[in-house]
Amino acid sequence: MELFDRLSDLQTISQSEELNARLEILLTDFLVCARAGSSSADIESIGARLAISSSYHDADDIDWSVMTHPGSIMWAALIDSLIRLPENSRNFLVSAYAGYRTSATSAQYFGASHRKNWHVTTTAGTLAATSTACAYRDLSPSMHISALENAAANMGGIAVADRRTGAAIFNRAAATSLGLLAANSDQPSAHNIWEGERGLGNLFSIAGKNTQTYDGISTASLRLFPYSGFIQSQNLAITQLAQRLSGDLISIELGIHPVTMELLNGSVGGSYWDYKYGAASAWQVKDVTQCVDAKNDVLDKISSKAIEIPISGAEVTITTSNGSDSMRIEIAPGSDFGSGQEKHWREAKWQRLVGKDYLEAESFAQLLLNNKADKNAIKSLQEFLLA
């Protein structure tokens, strides 16, 4: 399979200072989320535990271009590999590149038709975990391909595994575990798994038209605010308008993507999955890094409509007794890692989740990505994440 040929060839990975700097922030964010999440102490697999804990607060990274959460799977598989094989720590950086590349490239190759029926974070994530672990273990291209074939022949995760109920958290753990198993196993893989009625192309509704290779790092974003990723733009717009407008609130009019309106209607998962509740909170607190309980008198003044806008975007109009103002944000915040404003939001998120421990997470990220983590540092990282 040409896709797997490309993904198994680590010589074609192009590293750069810019991408390395992004990886450092992405890894720090993962470490913070993993430390803040559920310990899942009854799960033996390190990778599965980290996948669960890092996505527990629904704050793990996101690639809006393909609607995946690569980091909670890829980093979990990589740190599992690091702890089990510390002698291979020199491969940490290239393995991170391999993981993000496989996640983004696979998701793009699978296409929108696949995403309608399958949880692409899980399917592309399974392959990402596999590539990450293969790269870390220095497996040959042929062994890497065989591992990808075994993983692809067994990947799953249907789209109705509702993120609002927490089911998608288990999917991440399953993807991590399968990827690690595929990389660790020397069992023969199935052949000709793509074509025919029973092949992956048909069973998984894989488009297979996009044959580009994507680094996956440049498109990975952070979810910065204590709200669902679908309403990050909405609530940022509301808080910024709230700071510009004075007077008593008359109305908040929301224009959001139809999927956001459907998923975040409050019928499943509680107030976190209610875009109106989030909007009311944002208006009341006027600080997008915080959230509060919504008041009924604010909720009653919120209206909404579905509009044509990127799924991560929103259009907001607020009217008060002193006037009206509007804002449209099409790209959710979280991708401009060089922005001073986003650095402030990042640190606010990390402090909210783990307090000053985020500074230790930053130090671990720097050590690991510079391939300078010795056995003592790795042991300290394990205690930081799993104690």
Side-chain angles (χ1 to χ4, degrees), residues 5-47:
D5 288 343
R6 284 187 285 136
L7 297 177
S8 65
D9 186 358
L10 303 186
Q11 300 303 314
T12 60
I13 290 176
S14 298
Q15 300 183 22
S16 71
E17 290 185 8
E18 180 182 358
L19 293 179
N20 288 352
R22 290 185 70 84
L23 278 174
E24 187 176 313
I25 292 171
L26 290 166
L27 177 52
T28 300
D29 191 73
F30 169 83
L31 296 175
V32 167
C33 290
R35 183 168 173 83
S38 166
S39 67
S40 304
D42 56 337
I43 296 176
E44 185 175 350
S45 166
I46 293 172

Side-chain angles (χ1 to χ4, degrees), residues 21-194:
R22 290 185 70 84
L23 278 174
E24 187 176 313
I25 292 171
L26 290 166
L27 177 52
T28 300
D29 191 73
F30 169 83
L31 296 175
V32 167
C33 290
R35 183 168 173 83
S38 166
S39 67
S40 304
D42 56 337
I43 296 176
E44 185 175 350
S45 166
I46 293 172
R49 287 178 63 184
L50 291 175
I52 290 174
S53 60
S54 63
S55 58
Y56 185 80
H57 289 292
D58 193 43
D60 47 327
D61 69 9
I62 183 168
D63 186 336
W64 286 108
S65 67
V66 283
M67 296 294 294
T68 60
H69 303 282
S72 51
I73 296 174
M74 187 282 299
W75 291 122
L78 182 47
I79 291 176
D80 181 295
S81 301
L82 174 78
I83 291 171
R84 296 184 187 281
L85 292 170
E87 62 272 19
N88 280 22
S89 63
R90 67 189 181 284
N91 296 330
F92 193 92
L93 177 61
V94 71
S95 301
Y97 271 89
Y100 272 102
R101 182 176 74 165
T102 295
S103 178
T105 302
S106 299
Q108 292 283 3
Y109 181 82
F110 292 167
S113 56
H114 173 80
R115 294 197 293 272
K116 290 179 181 178
N117 298 316
W118 297 93
H119 184 227
V120 68
T121 292
T122 306
T123 53
T126 294
L127 300 182
T130 305
S131 278
T132 300
C134 287
Y136 187 83
R137 284 161 174 73
D138 267 333
L139 298 189
S140 67
S142 62
M143 296 173 71
H144 193 150
I145 290 171
S146 180
L148 286 169
E149 288 175 339
N150 268 331
N154 290 277
M155 66 185 181
I158 57 177
V160 294
D162 200 326
R163 70 199 78 193
R164 296 171 296 178
T165 64
I169 296 176
F170 180 85
N171 283 17
R172 288 166 170 77
T176 304
S177 299
L178 178 54
L180 287 166
L181 176 62
N184 282 320
S185 173
D186 60 356
Q187 298 302 307
S189 59
H191 297 293
N192 303 318
I193 61 176
W194 293 94

Side-chain angles (χ1 to χ4, degrees), residues 3 107 110 129 146 161 321 332 337:
L3 173 66
F110 292 167
S146 180
S321 56
F337 290 5

